[in-house]
Amino acid sequence: MSAQCCAGQLACCCGSAGCSLCCGCCPRIRQSRSTRFMYALYFILVVLLCCVMMSRTVANEMKERIPFYEDICKGIKAGDTCEKLVGYSAVYRVCFGMACFFFIFCLLTLNINSSKGCRAHIHNGFWFFKLLLLGAMCSGAFFIPDQETFLNAWRYVGAVGGFIFIGIQLILLVEFAHKWNKNWTAGTATNKLWYAALALVTLIMYSIAAGGLILMAVFYTQKDGCLENKILLGLNGGLCLLISVVAISPCVQNRQPHSGLLQSGLISCYVMYLTFSALSSKPVEVALDEHGRNVTICVPDLGQDLYRDENLVTGLGTTLLFMCILYSCLTSTTRSSSDALQGRYAAPELEVARCCFCFGPDGEDAEEQQNVKEGPRVIYDEKRGTVYSYSYFHFVFFLASLYVMMTVTSWFNYESANIETFFSGSWSIFWVKMASCWMCVLLYLGTLVAPLCCPSRQFSV
């Protein structure tokens, strides 16, 4: 048994076999999922390296604790204090290598519909060699000539790719809202309790959105001043009201009977979340009080105890942020999400109402489960064909690499960026989040208004 396990893991790392995540105690895992988890693991490793490179604390600790640190830095031609291996320029180079890695695999896996071909085997195996390739590409980026021109050009490529990644996630959020409403509405034909579920969830989401708007008005505005915050809160609150009215307007209902307040409630919650995130990312404003002292204004006065441990706040916040990015990558590469981006949706009459509608119906993998009673720990669920688009999967991770690069380096405030001040406020991050908020509203309004503007075309959401 031990020899078989070692042989299996060797085939996984150095051959084209599916990987069981190198753990005999883990439950059986489908090949399609294990492959995506392995690429996600590589992504996480590079992201952690980028965070280390942007950390002043790590750089200072290495300088103090590593013997002959300056001699080593000079020996590898990384500068007197290894300045070429830290900071935003190092992150740009490493993310360039990772982006190239995923882009090459995006091109390599174009138009793969079967998992039995040579290119599919490369995608699903050879993990050791792929790790070496990723390391070589990230390292090779440090030897690109004319670094100044490269960094300036790559910065704009990263900004475009980062915005495209945000756009894809916003499109999928709008698609998720429509899918949720359509699925639960389909259940009302056989069970009227689905009406109660729809009403309850809609009420909860609007309560959260309204409560969030009120709390932000209390904590992020003051009687005198904070005009910018007041305008933004009023604008975004008005946009939430607008999409709610449009969603239930008679003209929209005639063309899209499935449009309702559930979708607009979900979008309103997300708009309020982005508004809060943007306001909390603003650089602090300082004014003189009646005693002539500098005080911060237009921010919650919650005391300094919450922010005393800067490293703890940064660590927790960064971890949550990149977990969300990774989750977005994995969920946006499913077949249904890929179809949604191309405008292909399931027919309403084929919908089966489920509370957990994101997952497939029970029993859809019964055949695979019955066929794998004993033997390997990998369930080969792609015998009949691929269950997700390989090329699209790598393209999303390519865009995620650019988004991570821009996020870690504070977008266009790169020269003063470091991971310890990641949540201290930046105008670049503030406007990126506000732009994402307005883009989300425009995308949702587009799905409502498009059938009215183009009545001859067929729209299905």
Side-chain angles (χ1 to χ4, degrees):
M1 186 68 181
S2 177
Q4 290 179 352
C5 180
C6 291
Q9 297 308 329
L10 185 62
C12 160
C13 294
C14 301
S16 59
C19 187
S20 60
L21 300 185
C22 303
C23 183
C25 63
C26 291
R28 291 188 177 97
I29 186 170
R30 296 173 193 152
Q31 179 188 27
S32 60
R33 290 181 182 174
S34 68
T35 296
R36 284 178 282 185
F37 283 139
M38 288 299 293
Y39 283 112
L41 178 61
Y42 288 174
F43 181 80
I44 291 172
L45 291 176
V46 178
V47 168
L48 290 176
L49 178 60
C50 291
C51 291
V52 169
M53 287 179 165
M54 290 298 295
S55 173
R56 292 178 305 183
T57 304
V58 173
N60 293 334
E61 288 291 322
M62 290 176 61
K63 188 174 182 180
E64 293 176 1
R65 297 179 182 275
I66 297 179
F68 309 107
Y69 179 76
E70 294 184 358
D71 294 335
I72 295 174
C73 293
K74 293 177 181 178
I76 61 176
K77 298 180 180 180
D80 293 338
T81 57
C82 287
E83 61 269 14
K84 293 183 180 180
L85 300 181
V86 295
Y88 79 92
S89 61
V91 172
Y92 277 21
R93 296 182 185 103
V94 169
C95 287
F96 174 79
M98 179 167 65
C100 289
F101 173 83
F102 284 114
F103 188 71
I104 289 173
F105 275 94
C106 174
L107 299 178
L108 180 67
T109 55
L110 279 172
N111 297 322
I112 292 182
N113 297 315
S114 171
S115 63
K116 298 179 180 179
C118 175
R119 292 185 297 156
H121 286 312
I122 294 175
H123 169 78
N124 290 314
F126 301 100
W127 297 108
F128 176 72
F129 296 111
K130 280 191 262 193
L131 181 61
L132 292 181
L133 175 63
L134 177 61
M137 298 185 79
C138 291
S139 303
F142 286 86
F143 299 96
I144 296 175
D146 195 2
Q147 290 283 334
E148 192 66 29
T149 303
F150 161 72
L151 292 176
N152 289 331
W154 185 239
R155 181 177 306 118
Y156 290 102
V157 174
V160 172
F163 277 115
I164 294 175
F165 180 79
I166 293 173
I168 288 177
Q169 303 314 314
L170 294 177
I171 292 172
L172 293 177
L173 174 69
V174 173
E175 182 265 340
F176 172 83
H178 285 297
K179 182 178 179 181
W180 187 356
N181 185 76
K182 183 172 66 174
N183 184 272
W184 282 22
T185 302
T188 59
T190 57
N191 191 338
K192 301 304 180 184
L193 287 176
W194 285 107
Y195 281 119
L198 283 166
L200 177 62
V201 172
T202 302
L203 178 62
I204 290 174
M205 287 192 293
Y206 271 105
S207 299
I208 293 173
L213 181 62
I214 293 171
L215 289 175
M216 283 186 284
V218 170
F219 289 109
Y220 285 95
T221 63
Q222 295 177 359
K223 185 177 180 180
D224 299 321
C226 304
L227 179 62
E228 188 178 66
N229 289 4
K230 293 175 182 177
I231 293 174
L232 292 173
L233 288 174
L235 174 62
N236 291 350
L239 289 174
C240 292
L241 179 62
L242 173 65
I243 61 177
S244 301
V245 172
V246 172
I248 59 175
S249 61
C251 54
V252 171
Q253 288 290 314
N254 289 335
R255 291 285 297 171
Q256 298 191 70
H258 293 287
S259 175
L261 291 177
L262 179 67
Q263 300 102 305
S264 56
L266 178 61
I267 299 300
S268 297
C269 281
Y270 190 67
V271 166
M272 288 299 108
Y273 160 73
L274 285 179
T275 304
F276 165 73
S277 183
L279 292 178
S280 62
S281 300
K282 278 182 62 178
V284 295
E285 299 180 45
V286 180
L288 294 176
D289 62 6
E290 60 273 12
H291 302 293
R293 296 174 300 183
N294 288 330
V295 293
T296 56
I297 58 173
C298 306
V299 293
D301 185 16
L302 301 177
Q304 297 301 316
D305 291 339
L306 184 63
Y307 305 100
R308 183 170 296 167
D309 194 338
E310 187 181 63
N311 292 334
L312 177 62
V313 172
T314 301
L316 290 176
T318 306
T319 301
L320 289 174
L321 172 64
F322 291 119
M323 284 177 62
C324 291
I325 294 174
L326 188 61
Y327 175 78
S328 298
C329 291
L330 294 176
T331 54
S332 63
T333 53
T334 60
R335 178 70 72 183
S336 61
S337 297
S338 179
D339 290 345
L341 289 172
Q342 300 175 52
R344 300 196 297 262
Y345 299 92
E349 60 271 13
L350 300 179
E351 285 287 336
V352 179
R354 300 184 303 275
C355 290
C356 299
F357 66 93
C358 297
F359 301 97
D362 295 336
E364 68 176 357
D365 299 312
E367 183 179 345
E368 285 87 350
Q369 297 293 345
Q370 291 175 358
N371 292 337
V372 191
K373 297 294 185 181
E374 300 291 342
R377 307 199 68 81
V378 178
I379 301 173
Y380 292 93
D381 59 337
E382 295 186 307
K383 293 180 180 179
R384 298 179 181 177
T386 59
V387 300
Y388 65 101
S389 171
Y390 292 173
S391 182
Y392 173 64
F393 171 83
H394 289 294
F395 181 68
V396 169
F397 269 90
F398 163 73
L399 295 178
S401 303
L402 301 180
Y403 178 73
V404 166
M405 179 185 79
M406 299 304 294
T407 303
V408 170
T409 57
S410 296
W411 289 83
F412 294 102
N413 284 350
Y414 50 89
E415 292 185 347
S416 60
N418 60 76
I419 203 68
E420 284 81 7
T421 59
F422 191 61
F423 295 94
S424 63
S426 164
W427 283 113
S428 294
I429 296 176
F430 168 77
W431 285 115
V432 165
K433 291 178 179 179
M434 290 307 303
S436 302
C437 174
W438 299 329
M439 191 189 307
C440 182
V441 172
L442 288 176
L443 285 172
Y444 178 63
L445 278 177
T447 63
L448 299 179
V449 177
L452 303 178
C453 299
C454 305
S456 60
R457 292 189 59 184
Q458 182 65 32
F459 293 88
S460 177
V461 292

